[in-house]
């Protein structure tokens, strides 16, 4: 059995991943998270007393603290989810993205090397591949698509991937990289498209759609991302990159209309707002490598996944209402204040 340091385990995907690991494997997990605005221990109340789970508050940029967490808990594996993860925030200010996503990854790689751990998995994103043309629907991102970074967020994630490659190449360390498309599901911070639109519709507020609403994203249910990461951890080839996607492309506007329909609300709540600067037009992932080489397939189709997700936000209003108070409000004012005027 493994003893895994899950960094960023109090966020959206990390908290779903911890529950997935505890529920589907015998591994132990230490959740190492500094608890930024996106970190929420309420995501993990169901497992906080599980014998195989422990929370340690700490910053991935703090090498002494990471080393102590590794030593004290007999860690043999690191899975790095910790990141600043929202493109719009990276446009408002990139420093934290470079600190956490680049410098933090460097610290984790140094600890991997110094402690001789047996595995490191970097949770990356399809955004490192840039944007696909609209008029070539047959084109998708493969693992050999050149890195093209269009936002400070994607630049920071790509930098981290390049550091991982360099530590693999130079020191021969056991490093894997996964690059997933957009996730959706329970516990996603309501600054990202799907939970934001559900929350706003339930609150009776306008739904802000950027630009013409025709940007395309490839959506994957979060549990399927978790099963893919476990598959790569168990069977992936060290040094390799694995793309993960849902083969499920949607125009943003169609997702927004679907959410409104499912909630019984009218399309008059849609408000087209100023576009995101540098907005990537289309993401689409070719997952044939992980499917053919490692035998992974997603368990959820979009119809089931979106139903589960909308129902979860309807039934857990307290969760997102609490999250949306406080710091989030300042961000909302900064990001949408000028777009909506
Ligand atoms: P999130 O923003 O919901 O959570 C990030 C977590 O990292 C939070 O708990 C936060 O407190 C923690 N964190 C931030 N800085 C830290 C630091 N310096 N030290 C320790 N912890 C820190 O993010 P998410 O959506 O769950 O994404 C998780 C990972 O998956 C990220 O690396 C992201 O780039 C990647 N990813 C996300 C998506 C998506 O659709 N959300 C898709 C592909 C890849
Ligand atoms: P987001 O969830 O921020 O993910 P990403 O930018 O990493 O793909 O946004 C998904 C898409 O939805 C993206 O094209 C931007 C768009 N969007 C809106 O139209 N309105 C919004 O308020 C937000 C947050 C996103």
């Amino acid at each position: 059995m493994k003893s895994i340091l899950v960094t960023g385990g109090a966020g959206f995907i990390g908290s779903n991943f911890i529950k997935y690991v505890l529920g589907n494997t015998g591994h132990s997990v230490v959740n190492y998270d500094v608890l930024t605005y996106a970190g929420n221990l309420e995501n993990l109340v169901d497992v906080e007393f599980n014998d195989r789970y422990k929370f340690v508050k700490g910053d991935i940029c703090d090498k002494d603290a990471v080393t102590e967490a590794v030593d004290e808990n007999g860690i043999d594996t690191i899975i790095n989810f910790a990141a600043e993860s929202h493109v719009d925030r990276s446009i408002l200010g990139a420093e934290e993205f470079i600190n956490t996503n680049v410098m933090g990854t460097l610290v984790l790689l140094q600890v991997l090397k110094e402690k001789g751990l047996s595995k490191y998995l970097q949770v990356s994103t399809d955004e490192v591949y840039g944007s696909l043309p609209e008029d070539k629907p047959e084109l998708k991102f493969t693992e050999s698509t050149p890195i093209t970074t269009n936002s400070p967020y994607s630049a920071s994630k790509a930098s981290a991937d390049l550091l991982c490659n360099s530590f693999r190449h130079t020191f021969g360390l056991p490093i894997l990289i996964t690059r997933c498309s957009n996730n959706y599901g329970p516990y996603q911070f309501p600054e990202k498209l799907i939970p934001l639109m559900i929350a706003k519709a339930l609150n009776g507020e306008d739904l802000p759609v950027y630009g013409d609403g025709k940007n395309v994203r490839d959506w994957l249910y979060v549990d399927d991302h978790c099963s893919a990461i476990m598959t790569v951890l168990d069977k992936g080839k060290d040094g390799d990159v694995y793309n993960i996607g849902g083969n499920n492309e949607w125009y943003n506007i169609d997702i927004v209309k679907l959410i409104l329909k499912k909630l019984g609300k009218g399309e008059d709540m849609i408000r087209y707002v100023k576009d995101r600067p540098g907005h990537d037009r289309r993401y689409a992932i070719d997952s044939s490598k992980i499917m053919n080489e490692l035998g992974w397939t997603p368990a959820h189709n979009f119809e089931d996944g979106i139903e589960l997700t909308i129902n979860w936000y309807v039934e857990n209003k307290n969760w997102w209402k609490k999250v949306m108070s406080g710091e989030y409000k300042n961000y909302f004012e900064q990001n949408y204040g000028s777009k909506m005027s």
Side-chain angles (χ1 to χ4, degrees), residues 10-13 33-34 36 39 59-60 81 83 85 100 124 153 157 183:
F12 163 49
I13 307 174
D33 196 305
V34 78
T36 66
D59 190 333
I60 59 166
F81 291 90
S85 68
T100 291
S124 186
Y153 166 66
K157 292 295 290 185
N183 285 212

Side-chain angles (χ1 to χ4, degrees), residues 86-88 127 182 191-193 196-197 208-210 215 217 252 276 279 283 336:
H86 190 35
V87 174
D88 290 322
E127 302 199 24
N182 288 63
E191 64 183 353
K192 305 278 169 58
L193 181 75
L196 181 72
M197 296 300 148
V209 172
Y210 295 167
N215 299 69
R217 296 294 183 263
N252 292 339
R276 169 188 283 173
H279 196 172
Y283 300 150
Y336 293 94

Side-chain angles (χ1 to χ4, degrees), residues 46 149 151 169 174 341:
D46 335 345
T149 55
S151 71
H169 186 82
S341 55

Side-chain angles (χ1 to χ4, degrees), residues 94-315:
E95 286 82 355
E96 274 315 302
F97 288 74
I98 302 304
N99 286 338
T100 291
N101 301 3
V102 186
M103 298 309 291
T105 299
L106 175 62
V107 164
L108 297 176
L109 292 169
Q110 288 169 332
V111 174
L112 169 76
K113 176 169 171 278
E114 285 168 20
K115 293 287 158 189
L117 306 184
S118 51
K119 203 65 92 181
Y120 178 94
L121 191 149
Q122 175 74 5
V123 180
S124 186
T125 166
D126 64 350
E127 302 199 24
V128 301
Y129 297 125
S131 184
L132 289 162
E134 276 170 278
D135 58 350
K136 293 198 175 134
E138 72 287 0
L139 271 191
K140 292 186 178 215
F141 298 134
T142 70
E143 288 81 359
S144 47
T145 300
I147 300 287
T148 309
T149 55
N150 293 331
S151 71
Y153 166 66
S154 64
S156 69
K157 292 295 290 185
S159 304
D161 288 10
L162 297 180
L163 275 175
C164 289
N165 288 342
S166 74
F167 269 64
R168 166 73 191 157
H169 186 82
T170 306
F171 306 113
L173 299 180
I175 296 171
L176 298 153
I177 298 176
T178 56
R179 294 187 181 139
C180 191
S181 59
N182 288 63
N183 285 212
Y184 68 100
Y187 301 103
Q188 186 166 28
F189 196 88
E191 64 183 353
K192 305 278 169 58
L193 181 75
I194 289 182
L196 181 72
M197 296 300 148
I198 299 171
K200 287 200 159 286
L202 291 171
N203 269 347
E205 293 170 33
D206 284 353
L207 276 56
V209 172
Y210 295 167
D212 63 0
K214 290 289 183 70
N215 299 69
V216 174
R217 296 294 183 263
D218 180 354
W219 295 94
L220 183 72
Y221 190 66
V222 62
D223 267 2
D224 288 324
H225 187 186
C226 298
S227 70
I229 289 172
M230 274 317 294
T231 303
V232 173
L233 191 70
D234 287 341
K235 302 196 240 167
K237 188 165 147 257
D238 285 346
D240 270 18
V241 172
Y242 293 89
N243 281 356
I244 305 165
N247 201 17
N248 178 43
E249 290 177 59
W250 284 76
Y251 288 119
N252 292 339
I253 187 64
D254 290 339
I255 296 255
V256 172
K257 286 181 178 170
L258 179 73
I259 289 169
L260 286 169
K261 191 167 166 216
K262 294 227 176 240
L263 290 172
K265 310 272 183 181
E267 291 181 10
D268 54 335
M269 294 178 83
I270 294 171
R271 171 107 177 259
Y272 288 95
V273 301
K274 211 183 280 172
D275 209 354
R276 169 188 283 173
H279 196 172
D280 283 339
R281 196 63 177 168
R282 175 174 164 248
Y283 300 150
I285 275 268
D286 177 342
S287 314
S288 49
K289 179 176 175 184
I290 185 174
M291 295 177 95
N292 297 337
E293 290 185 15
L294 308 186
W296 172 83
T297 45
H300 296 269
N301 61 33
F302 190 65
E303 226 167 78
D304 303 340
I306 196 74
E307 189 83 22
L308 283 172
T309 303
I310 293 173
N311 290 343
W312 189 85
Y313 286 90
V314 169
E315 284 156 19

